[in-house]
Amino acid sequence: MNQRNAGEKPEKRIDALEKKVWKLERLNRDLQYRLRFEGLITAISSKFINLSSDSIDAGIDDALREVGEMTSVERTYIFRYNPEAGTVSNTHEWCARGVEPFHDRLQDIPLERGSWLAGKIGAGDVVNIPRVRDLPPEAAMLKALNVEQGTNSLILVPLAYGGTVTGLLGLDSRNENRTWTDEVTALLRILGEIISSAMERKRAEEALRRSEEKYRTVLETIEEAYWEVDLKGNLVFFNPSLVGLIEYREDELRGMNYRDYTAPEDLERISRSFNAVYRTGRGVRLDNYVFVANGGRRRAVEMSTYPIRDVEGNIIGFRGVSRDVTERQQAEQALHESETRYRAVLEANPDPLVVFDREGRVVYSNPAFSEVFGWSAEELEGRVMEKFIPDDHLDEGRRMAEQMVSGKRFSGIETERFTRSGERIPVGISGSGYRDVRGTFMGGIVTLRDIREKKRMEEQLLNIHKLESIGTLAGGIAHDFNNLLMAVQGNVSLALYNLDEEHPHYRLFRNIEKSVKSGSRLTSQLLGFARKGRYEVKPVDLNHLVDDVAKTFGRTRKDIVIHRDQAADLRAIEADEGQLEQMLLNIFMNAGEAMPSGGDLFLATKNMVLEKPDTNFVELEPGRYVQLSVRDTGVGMDKETMDHLFEPFFTTREMGHGTGLGMASVYGIVKGHGGHIEVRSSVGGGTAFDIYLPASDAPVQAEGADQQDVVKPGKERILLVDDEDMVLTVGGQMLERLGYDVLKASCGADAIALCESHRERIDLVILDMIMPGMGGGQVFDHLREKYPWILVLLSSGYSLEGQAREIMDRGCDGFIQKPFTIQELATRIREILD
């Protein structure tokens, strides 16, 4: 017996023994609890080792339940910590029967930086709270949250992975205040590591699965063909695009060698590319090779190839991407052909064309642009054209540019531009902008047309119209003047009819008659300009006519040397010989005046064929022509003189030394014969006339002897019709002197009335062509319809052209031009009546 306890009372010894037994029992209970807890942790750990990632969440829920039941708490849970957002969220929760879950309300709870709980979490400390209400003021948020949930005590164990806190494992006690021993805390830490490892594995596996799914989705959806081959070139993996490209089934492709679907001509290139990848370890790009698809269809392909390595870095195969570029190559070929075609069109365009970018730099100009403006395409490309638009057209050019930018077109604008040499030429401009596929303005396309020839032709036509208008006026003047001369000539003829040459007034009347003839020649020139001067048209040998007139002119100007170059086979022309003589004489005289001290006159004729309309001969139809050229070495003319050369009454001579009708009649005679005349001259360089007259196949007739007019009187009844009283009076007197019975009418209506009343007794009607009201043509047509037996002699101050010719062609019996003598009148009447 222990001496120290020998004196103690038995009761005390029993109490001490009981305490010792209780203590041993408690230690035993703690040991058993710890062993069961360790067994639970071991079981949970073993379970998680075999869990798939899809079962880990359920495994965590089971572990929380088992731990909660083991520790007799009312709630166990996991919070996930988000350090970037500074928040915690409840991801898993177990609650004892009858306890309200708080999972949905515990999401994204903010942890203020520097707060009490944030500091604990950041340090990786266990938060052991035996009594919630005893939490310090700095843990107010945690205290309020747990008071709301009815929690009396709790423990929060950090979840860590790789030294980083990822969350919290928590146990809440609602019914009692609990102190968590170091042994339990240590076991909870182990459980936290198990759970955090499982959660990290789940996260990693899910990330890997997402990556693989994303990778597979990309491979299955991309248009490019992805493939992997071993070192022998056998396919070990490929995506659906390769199946579509090569058109073999998937099971046929697996294991197929690249040589089985590569065009024979490209096998060597593919082999060299694989060798290069294996040798260098770097990727290789290969363009423009051919896959032969199932069925033999060829596909143009581009390929990029890279090495496949094992974990030790050894190359064990090749991976690559192949792109089908067949359609692209076809499109490029079509684009190239289209560009070639359109470039050919642009370069064949006879009009200058230039393309500008948005800054006004030239990106293209066609050959026609170089031909007209002188700049080569190389000089212009990439440059802004300077000194192209005249200063007075700059505003106009800016407006054109603004229209192109705004999407508007312009066309046919006539303006002026400079050539490379500085010549200012008239042009017609059309243009529009061009845009890219998004509608963005990229530049302008401008077409220009050289209208110098057009302007020259317009000026030529304007001169023609002007001369035609003047010709109409001149013809009217000549007609009225001939009526006046008719009165003078008629009275002189009456005076001279029976007048003896010894009569003292005979010479006076002859002088008057000469003056009348001189005036008649003047009107003849006016009518020639008015294209109304042709009297007798017949086939003419122009060479013969030129020779005759040149000889006559040469006798008067022996100081001028005449040179001839005449075609021996020159075709005939149908013309009034007298008018052509007048035309030639006027041209020769004009040349003589330009060479006052003598010189050279060159005469040439030749045949010419105009096969199609030509702007150089605006009035000539295609056909055969005879060309006459007359060139002198005289003083020449300036442009102003040439512009007025063919106008009547225009002369460079001094007053009283010319009528100004010579060249006007030349112009009228040429135009009246259906021809064309051109003049070329320069001051000090002489003058050249080129005349073109229609050729004829009719043979030239030999000249007959001239017949002398013989005055023959008559006794028939003649109706004289004229609206001019003086002509009517003198004409009636001339007819009466010749012995005819004369009726007179001053208008067409009176003439028809007289024919009606004397229908059987009128032998001849002398009918004026131009009358007010009913003209000569209408009267003639009426007479032919009602009284076809009455003969008609047409009389006019105009010549036998135009309306007179038309009346003659309708069956009129004869024509006489005013002014005429009594001898001419008698001859014409007897030609018709006899």
Side-chain angles (χ1 to χ4, degrees):
M1 178 176 294
N2 191 334
Q3 291 297 320
R4 188 169 50 90
N5 297 328
E8 291 182 354
K9 292 180 178 183
E11 293 85 1
K12 288 184 178 182
R13 288 197 299 271
I14 293 172
D15 288 340
L17 183 60
E18 287 179 348
K19 287 180 181 180
K20 190 173 183 179
V21 170
W22 176 83
K23 186 176 181 180
L24 288 173
E25 288 178 349
R26 190 184 68 179
L27 289 173
N28 185 57
R29 285 196 305 272
D30 289 345
L31 178 61
Q32 293 299 320
Y33 179 78
R34 180 177 177 182
L35 290 174
R36 290 201 313 274
F37 209 152
E38 287 177 352
L40 176 62
I41 298 300
T42 301
I44 291 173
S45 177
S46 299
K47 186 187 297 183
F48 273 110
I49 291 173
N50 298 316
L51 281 179
S52 65
S53 61
D54 293 338
S55 302
I56 286 178
D57 283 332
I60 293 175
D61 289 339
D62 288 344
L64 290 178
R65 175 181 57 77
E66 291 173 349
V67 169
E69 291 174 348
M70 169 68 73
T71 56
S72 300
V73 296
E74 285 73 33
R75 179 183 289 111
T76 57
Y77 47 85
I78 299 291
F79 273 93
R80 190 77 178 176
Y81 177 51
N82 185 344
E84 294 181 359
T87 60
V88 291
S89 296
N90 189 190
T91 59
H92 301 77
E93 181 184 36
W94 170 83
C95 296
R97 185 184 301 274
V99 176
E100 179 185 5
F102 273 78
H103 174 275
D104 294 338
R105 287 178 281 178
L106 300 177
Q107 301 298 317
D108 298 321
I109 299 173
L111 295 179
E112 295 181 2
R113 189 176 301 276
S115 66
W116 181 80
L117 182 59
K120 294 289 186 180
I121 293 173
D125 295 339
V126 173
V127 179
N128 190 342
I129 305 174
R131 181 180 170 85
V132 168
R133 295 186 181 277
D134 293 339
L135 280 168
E138 55 268 25
M141 182 193 73
L142 181 62
K143 179 178 180 180
L145 183 64
N146 280 276
V147 169
E148 180 186 356
Q149 298 177 52
T151 301
N152 283 322
S153 66
L154 71 144
I155 185 170
L156 298 175
V157 178
L159 302 179
Y161 187 84
T164 301
V165 176
T166 60
L168 299 169
L169 166 64
L171 285 75
D172 289 355
S173 176
R174 293 167 55 99
N175 297 326
E176 58 180 338
N177 298 327
R178 296 185 59 172
T179 300
W180 306 91
T181 65
D182 292 340
E183 292 82 356
V184 170
T185 300
L187 290 173
L188 289 176
R189 273 186 177 275
I190 294 172
L191 178 61
E193 291 177 359
I194 293 170
I195 290 176
S196 62
S197 296
M199 292 177 69
E200 184 60 27
R201 177 163 65 86
K202 178 178 184 289
R203 185 198 65 76
E205 289 180 358
E206 286 180 348
L208 177 61
R209 184 167 58 249
R210 286 194 301 270
S211 175
E212 288 177 345
E213 289 176 354
K214 181 179 179 181
Y215 173 71
R216 182 172 295 277
T217 300
V218 169
L219 290 182
E220 290 180 351
T221 56
I222 61 173
E223 294 184 4
E224 288 81 1
Y226 176 82
W227 47 264
E228 295 178 2
V229 297
D230 60 20
L231 291 178
K232 294 181 179 180
N234 299 318
L235 282 168
V236 296
F237 179 79
F238 50 84
N239 69 349
S241 293
L242 185 69
V243 177
L245 176 62
I246 307 181
E247 299 182 8
Y248 286 94
R249 296 194 312 271
E250 185 175 342
D251 60 326
E252 292 176 321
L253 271 179
R254 190 168 291 107
M256 185 179 288
N257 193 276
Y258 75 89
R259 296 177 179 84
D260 298 329
Y261 50 81
T262 300
E265 64 269 21
D266 291 325
L267 284 173
E268 182 62 27
R269 295 175 60 213
I270 299 292
S271 178
R272 286 200 304 268
S273 71
F274 283 148
N275 289 336
V277 173
Y278 187 85
R279 194 171 57 254
T280 65
R282 294 191 297 270
V284 170
R285 178 181 175 85
L286 192 64
D287 295 329
N288 193 25
Y289 75 99
V290 175
F291 274 169
V292 180
N294 190 11
R297 188 157 61 135
R298 296 168 68 88
R299 296 288 188 88
V301 179
E302 292 177 350
M303 181 178 75
S304 300
T305 306
Y306 303 92
I308 299 176
R309 300 178 184 271
D310 61 14
V311 293
E312 296 177 355
N314 300 313
I315 296 177
I316 59 174
F318 308 96
R319 64 165 56 94
V321 174
S322 296
R323 302 170 187 84
D324 184 357
V325 294
T326 306
E327 292 183 358
R328 190 185 76 191
Q329 283 193 359
Q330 291 172 347
E332 289 174 350
Q333 178 64 24
L335 178 61
H336 175 71
E337 291 174 357
S338 175
E339 289 177 346
T340 301
R341 181 167 56 253
Y342 283 113
R343 179 174 289 274
V345 170
L346 294 178
E347 293 188 352
N349 190 342
D351 290 329
L353 182 143
V354 61
V355 181
F356 301 94
D357 64 15
R358 68 180 73 182
E359 281 79 31
R361 293 187 295 266
V362 176
V363 296
Y364 173 79
S365 61
N366 68 347
F369 190 91
S370 299
E371 291 175 9
V372 172
F373 294 100
W375 285 284
S376 68
E378 292 74 17
E379 287 178 308
L380 290 178
E381 188 171 359
R383 293 178 53 191
V384 175
M385 292 187 66
E386 300 174 353
K387 299 180 180 179
F388 182 58
I389 303 177
D391 291 344
D392 53 336
H393 289 292
L394 287 175
D395 289 341
E396 175 189 70
R398 279 190 286 268
R399 288 194 299 271
M400 291 179 185
E402 290 169 0
Q403 283 184 272
M404 288 190 288
V405 172
S406 66
K408 297 179 181 178
R409 301 170 58 91
F410 57 88
S411 177
I413 297 177
E414 292 193 1
T415 182
E416 293 178 315
R417 291 294 183 267
F418 283 121
T419 66
R420 190 176 187 273
S421 63
E423 180 185 0
R424 182 170 174 149
I425 65 171
V427 295
I429 296 186
S430 301
S432 65
Y434 63 95
R435 301 175 182 274
D436 62 15
V437 293
R438 295 182 296 275
T440 304
F441 175 77
M442 300 300 294
I445 303 174
V446 176
T447 301
L448 304 102
R449 176 163 292 178
D450 182 357
I451 58 174
R452 284 177 288 189
E453 186 63 26
K454 176 178 177 242
K455 290 295 184 182
R456 187 192 68 78
M457 187 170 65
E458 286 177 351
E459 184 177 353
Q460 187 177 6
L461 289 173
L462 182 63
N463 288 333
I464 290 171
H465 295 324
K466 178 176 68 175
L467 292 173
E468 285 177 348
S469 299
I470 297 174
T472 301
L473 176 62
I477 293 172
H479 170 266
D480 293 343
F481 194 41
N482 277 341
N483 278 331
L484 292 173
L485 291 177
M486 181 66 237
V488 177
Q489 178 67 69
N491 284 299
V492 170
S493 292
L494 288 171
L496 290 172
Y497 186 69
N498 289 322
L499 196 64
D500 188 84
E501 291 184 6
E502 300 300 326
H503 193 282
H505 295 156
Y506 181 84
R507 185 169 297 281
L508 294 176
F509 285 116
R510 281 297 182 190
N511 289 336
I512 294 172
E513 192 172 53
K514 288 180 181 178
S515 296
V516 170
K517 289 186 180 295
S518 177
S520 180
R521 284 194 298 272
L522 181 61
T523 59
S524 176
Q525 288 183 322
L526 279 172
L527 289 170
F529 172 73
R531 309 186 198 183
K532 301 179 183 294
R534 295 165 64 193
Y535 306 116
E536 183 181 2
V537 177
K538 62 181 181 180
V540 174
D541 181 348
L542 186 60
N543 276 343
H544 179 71
L545 192 62
V546 169
D547 286 341
D548 287 348
V549 178
K551 288 177 183 177
T552 301
F553 175 73
R555 293 190 193 100
T556 63
R557 290 297 304 271
K558 294 183 178 181
D559 56 343
I560 295 177
V561 179
I562 300 177
H563 307 269
R564 293 180 177 85
D565 181 16
Q566 295 164 278
D569 59 345
L570 193 68
R571 297 188 183 96
I573 59 173
E574 294 198 25
D576 183 294
E577 192 168 354
Q579 289 293 293
L580 291 189
E581 287 178 353
Q582 178 184 336
M583 175 194 76
L584 289 169
L585 189 58
N586 285 338
I587 293 176
F588 293 167
M589 291 177 63
N590 192 72
E593 291 171 2
M595 298 184 290
S597 301
D600 295 282
L601 185 64
F602 298 88
L603 309 176
T605 60
K606 67 178 181 178
N607 296 314
M608 187 191 80
V609 177
L610 186 63
E611 294 182 349
K612 58 183 180 180
D614 193 324
T615 56
N616 292 319
F617 309 99
V618 292
E619 291 187 300
L620 298 185
E621 295 293 331
R624 297 184 302 173
Y625 292 87
V626 170
Q627 179 183 350
L628 166 64
S629 297
V630 181
R631 181 171 62 86
D632 65 51
T633 56
V635 296
M637 295 177 285
D638 58 22
K639 186 177 185 304
E640 182 178 0
T641 301
M642 289 177 63
D643 289 342
H644 299 282
L645 179 63
F646 296 124
E647 294 178 8
F649 310 115
F650 174 77
T651 179
T652 58
R653 303 178 194 172
E654 298 178 1
M655 185 68 70
H657 287 76
T659 63
L661 290 173
M663 295 311 296
S665 66
V666 168
Y667 179 86
I669 290 168
V670 172
K671 296 301 181 182
H673 282 78
H676 176 71
I677 184 169
E678 288 186 339
V679 58
R680 293 173 283 113
S681 186
S682 61
V683 176
T687 300
F689 290 94
D690 293 317
I691 297 168
Y692 304 88
L693 298 170
S696 172
D697 292 325
V700 177
Q701 301 294 328
E703 300 263 348
D706 293 337
Q707 297 181 354
Q708 299 293 327
D709 289 336
V710 179
V711 177
K712 295 181 180 180
K715 296 181 179 181
E716 290 86 354
R717 175 169 286 182
I718 296 177
L719 171 60
L720 178 62
V721 185
D722 201 299
D723 66 308
E724 295 286 346
D725 289 341
M726 54 185 174
V727 176
L728 198 61
T729 300
V730 74
Q733 292 173 354
M734 293 170 70
L735 290 171
E736 289 171 352
R737 183 69 59 90
L738 290 171
Y740 296 105
D741 182 11
V742 181
L743 298 174
K744 293 187 285 187
S746 61
C747 65
D750 290 347
I752 292 173
L754 285 171
C755 287
E756 179 66 27
S757 59
H758 298 82
R759 64 172 64 189
E760 302 295 338
R761 291 175 292 169
I762 296 177
D763 299 292
L764 177 68
V765 175
I766 300 176
L767 179 62
D768 186 24
M769 185 177 72
I770 305 298
M771 295 185 294
M774 183 180 288
Q778 292 174 288
V779 174
F780 172 77
D781 292 338
H782 184 83
L783 293 178
R784 271 292 176 265
E785 180 181 356
K786 301 282 287 187
Y787 319 108
W789 59 86
I790 297 178
L791 301 173
V792 179
L793 173 63
L794 192 63
S795 171
S796 177
Y798 288 115
S799 60
L800 186 57
E801 269 303 304
Q803 186 179 351
R805 172 60 65 187
E806 293 174 3
I807 297 173
M808 293 296 295
D809 291 342
R810 296 204 294 270
C812 189
D813 300 287
F815 175 81
I816 189 168
Q817 185 178 16
K818 305 171 188 176
F820 47 80
T821 65
I822 193 169
Q823 291 87 355
E824 292 169 337
L825 178 60
T827 300
R828 290 289 186 271
I829 290 173
R830 294 326 307 171
E831 285 176 352
I832 296 172
L833 292 177
D834 293 342

